Amino acid sequence: MTNTYIAIDLETTGLSAKLDKIIEIGAVKFTDGKETDVFSAYVNPGIRLPERIIELTGIRDTDVEGAPDMEDLLEDLDVFLGEEVLLGHNLLFDFSFLKKAFSYKKRKFEKTGIDTLKIARACLPQMEHKGLGDLCAFYNIPLKAHRAVEDARAAGLLYQRLTEHIKEKKELEKYFEPTPLVCQIKKDCPATMPQKGLLYKLHTQYGIIPEYDVEKLTKSEASRHIDRILSEHKAVMNRK
């Protein structure tokens, strides 16, 4: 069992690291089985939160509007994480969002990690559902789901409970060992001046109040918004 690790979890606006944004970070450090430090922060995504995310997490626009941007949190988060092993439930999901955030500022983010979902699949093949909530219910671990620190803490405690299976089957030890985290992130650049200028023009022309901050868009995001606006208003004109 790894004695020191940082359990991490993110809340995001959706499931795509390429298209969606981080809105909350939770990281809990465990040393010798005990919680020793916590990192918690709201993140301003620069867009209005989808209603389904508000319903799922309880996080509202008012919670993130005054929060720092992700790039403003990178240094503090990097210092907190240090060289420690990361741990999470379906860890590559969270890692992909963080790797994208660091790559956007041209910073490396190379980590080793432990995925409690992979461990659960090896240790509990008889369980049909292996979501964090299902496993916490199975082990009677308290969980306030879909909040970053609570999910991170629960994953850290779940790891400790799962290690009990090693006593029964030594061959399971390999699933508890940290491994390099690998995911391919396509770098994206900030939106160009012509893209931003066109968006501002379209907003004025069609009376659009955007749910995003034009100045914070990437090239692909700006392109997507431009295409959507032109497509929607072309359809309106055609109906007329």
Side-chain angles (χ1 to χ4, degrees):
M1 178 179 175
T2 300
N3 292 324
T4 301
Y5 55 88
I6 294 178
I8 193 161
D9 185 80
L10 307 176
E11 300 303 329
T12 64
T13 59
L15 301 177
S16 170
K18 180 179 179 180
L19 301 176
D20 294 306
K21 306 287 187 178
I22 299 169
I23 59 173
E24 187 181 34
I25 304 170
V28 181
K29 186 174 182 178
F30 287 85
T31 306
D32 295 328
K34 295 182 179 180
E35 182 178 322
T36 55
D37 206 353
V38 176
F39 182 98
S40 178
Y42 283 126
V43 183
N44 187 339
I47 60 173
R48 293 188 64 81
L49 300 183
E51 192 61 37
R52 68 182 187 283
I53 298 302
I54 295 173
E55 293 175 0
L56 182 67
T57 65
I59 299 172
R60 300 186 174 278
D61 290 304
T62 52
D63 295 318
V64 297
E65 282 171 355
D69 298 335
M70 188 63 210
E71 53 263 36
D72 295 328
L73 289 167
L74 292 181
E75 185 63 36
D76 288 344
L77 179 61
D78 202 21
V79 170
F80 182 85
L81 297 179
E83 300 300 319
E84 302 296 350
V85 172
L86 298 188
L87 179 143
H89 202 70
N90 193 20
L91 179 58
L92 277 182
F93 172 84
D94 303 285
F95 180 71
S96 65
F97 274 86
L98 292 175
K99 191 169 181 68
K100 179 194 173 186
F102 276 89
S103 68
Y104 187 67
K105 299 301 290 184
K106 298 182 179 179
R107 297 180 58 164
K108 290 185 178 180
F109 191 68
E110 306 296 336
K111 298 292 180 182
T112 58
I114 299 170
D115 191 336
T116 51
L117 177 58
K118 290 183 179 179
I119 296 174
R121 286 170 175 164
C123 295
L124 299 165
Q126 74 279 11
M127 282 191 67
E128 182 180 359
H129 302 292
K130 299 180 181 69
L132 183 61
D134 302 300
L135 293 163
C136 285
F138 181 77
Y139 285 110
N140 293 315
I141 297 171
L143 173 64
K144 181 180 178 182
H146 302 300
R147 291 307 302 268
V149 167
E150 294 296 328
D151 283 356
R153 180 177 289 117
L157 296 173
L158 173 62
Y159 175 68
Q160 296 175 24
R161 295 300 304 274
L162 287 168
T163 58
E164 297 170 4
H165 292 273
I166 296 177
K167 299 174 185 176
E168 303 166 8
K169 294 182 179 181
K170 281 289 185 180
E171 61 267 28
L172 292 173
E173 285 184 353
K174 62 183 179 181
Y175 295 100
F176 292 82
E177 297 174 359
T179 57
L181 296 173
V182 179
C183 69
Q184 297 298 321
I185 297 296
K186 185 177 180 181
K187 291 184 179 180
D188 204 352
C189 301
T192 65
M193 289 300 292
Q195 283 180 311
K196 290 189 284 188
L198 178 55
L199 273 172
Y200 285 126
K201 181 179 179 180
L202 291 173
H203 295 163
T204 301
Q205 181 177 349
Y206 296 116
I208 297 170
I209 301 175
E211 296 184 344
Y212 48 84
D213 186 338
V214 173
E215 297 300 323
K216 295 178 181 178
L217 296 177
T218 64
K219 286 180 68 174
S220 60
E221 290 169 340
S223 179
R224 192 170 73 254
H225 286 303
I226 290 168
D227 290 344
R228 176 182 55 78
I229 292 170
L230 292 175
S231 177
E232 288 176 355
H233 286 275
K234 181 180 179 181
V236 170
M237 288 186 288
N238 287 341
R239 284 200 297 270
K240 291 179 180 180

